[in-house]
Amino acid sequence: MGSISTCVIVRDEERRVPGLLENISKFSDEIIVVDTGSKDGTIQLLLDNPKVKLFHFEWCDDFAKARNYSLEQASCEWILVLDADEIISNPKALAFDIKRKEIDGFYLLLKSLQPEGSLTKYEEVFACRLFRNSRHHRYKGRIHELVAPSIVTAGGKITYSKATIIHSGYQSHLVQGGTTRRDRNKRILVDILKDDPNDEYYIYHLGLTIRFESPQE
């Protein structure tokens, strides 16, 4: 039977860490946490959990670099990537997934809870978050980073899991460091497009950031 390293990036997440650890400790063989500069009580909460292996990474506005650093610390057969504001609602599905020898990665349904007053309770997308631990499987992209292309390039097969991620982060417009999600994302996206102004992927995401984030954010 396979084993799971759950990899998480955190910064100033003392409000969310207890719920995260309660959820993932049940199915994770090890919990790789990369802290990017917490100044609140996050570190102590993490150290209180025996499954946590804590590492530090100097934040450089590059999510892929931080993600890949966390992957490099993982020792289990499978890697599950989560954020501090995410939990797995049906972890039994993961146990089924990691038994499938013919599969190298899984798309999980990501349900993002929306702020009060939104037209919908949540938005749904699929994201590749569970995959085999391989040096060939790495993220690319400073923001809205993706790992699936590297799995496909390495000849791997990706399918859909029945596991679901519940994401609560959009219910607050603040992100790590006290800044707003829109301002952080816009800053990184604009910087990326300075180097490659014709990158359609990031042009699309910059458009979404400007169009759909609320003015208060």
Side-chain angles (χ1 to χ4, degrees):
M1 182 168 176
S3 55
I4 296 178
S5 298
T6 299
C7 295
V8 188
I9 300 172
V10 301
R11 182 179 178 185
D12 294 335
E13 295 284 9
E14 63 179 3
R15 293 187 299 109
R16 294 185 172 116
V17 161
L20 170 72
L21 293 179
E22 180 181 5
N23 178 255
I24 64 178
S25 293
K26 299 173 183 177
F27 59 80
S28 302
D29 295 279
E30 67 176 4
I31 301 171
I32 304 298
V33 181
V34 171
D35 184 82
T36 62
S38 291
K39 294 180 173 60
D40 62 1
T42 296
I43 299 298
Q44 187 55 53
L45 290 170
L46 292 168
L47 293 176
D48 289 341
N49 188 297
K51 287 190 175 182
V52 169
K53 296 180 180 179
L54 180 63
F55 301 87
H56 299 276
F57 180 85
E58 185 174 352
W59 183 243
C60 56
D61 275 353
D62 192 321
F63 281 93
K65 284 186 178 180
R67 297 279 186 210
N68 290 336
Y69 179 74
S70 73
L71 303 188
E72 290 166 6
Q73 317 311 317
S75 63
C76 294
E77 181 182 353
W78 289 86
I79 291 176
L80 174 69
V81 173
L82 293 177
D83 287 327
D85 55 5
E86 297 174 339
I87 61 171
I88 300 292
S89 66
N90 48 345
K92 289 183 179 180
L94 300 176
F96 172 79
D97 292 337
I98 63 176
K99 294 178 183 178
R100 300 187 62 179
K101 296 181 180 180
E102 78 281 11
I103 301 299
D104 298 279
F106 290 90
Y107 292 108
L108 278 64
L109 180 64
L110 176 62
K111 298 178 70 169
S112 295
L113 301 175
Q114 299 299 293
E116 186 176 351
S118 299
L119 294 177
T120 57
K121 184 177 180 180
Y122 51 80
E123 292 183 354
E124 296 182 342
V125 297
F126 282 95
C128 183
R129 295 293 196 87
L130 178 66
F131 47 91
R132 292 189 183 276
N133 188 354
S134 166
R135 63 184 178 85
H136 300 294
H137 300 165
R138 290 295 184 264
Y139 279 91
K140 184 178 181 180
R142 286 177 55 189
I143 193 169
H144 303 298
E145 64 280 10
L146 299 173
V147 71
S150 71
I151 298 173
V152 174
T153 299
K157 182 178 180 181
I158 307 175
T159 190
Y160 291 87
S161 170
K162 293 185 178 179
T164 299
I165 301 172
I166 304 299
H167 172 221
S168 61
Y170 288 158
Q171 294 182 310
S172 170
H173 69 283
L174 292 178
V175 294
Q176 297 92 331
T179 189
T180 66
R181 179 174 289 102
R182 184 181 69 167
D183 288 343
R184 180 202 64 190
N185 292 1
K186 183 178 179 181
R187 182 186 71 251
I188 298 174
L189 289 165
V190 168
D191 194 40
I192 292 171
L193 289 170
K194 287 180 182 178
D195 295 328
D196 188 358
N198 297 316
D199 190 313
E200 296 179 355
Y201 179 74
Y202 287 113
I203 291 173
Y204 168 76
H205 280 290
L206 178 60
L208 289 182
T209 300
I210 296 173
R211 171 65 179 83
F212 291 111
E213 291 286 350
S214 68
Q216 290 76 24
E217 296 184 353

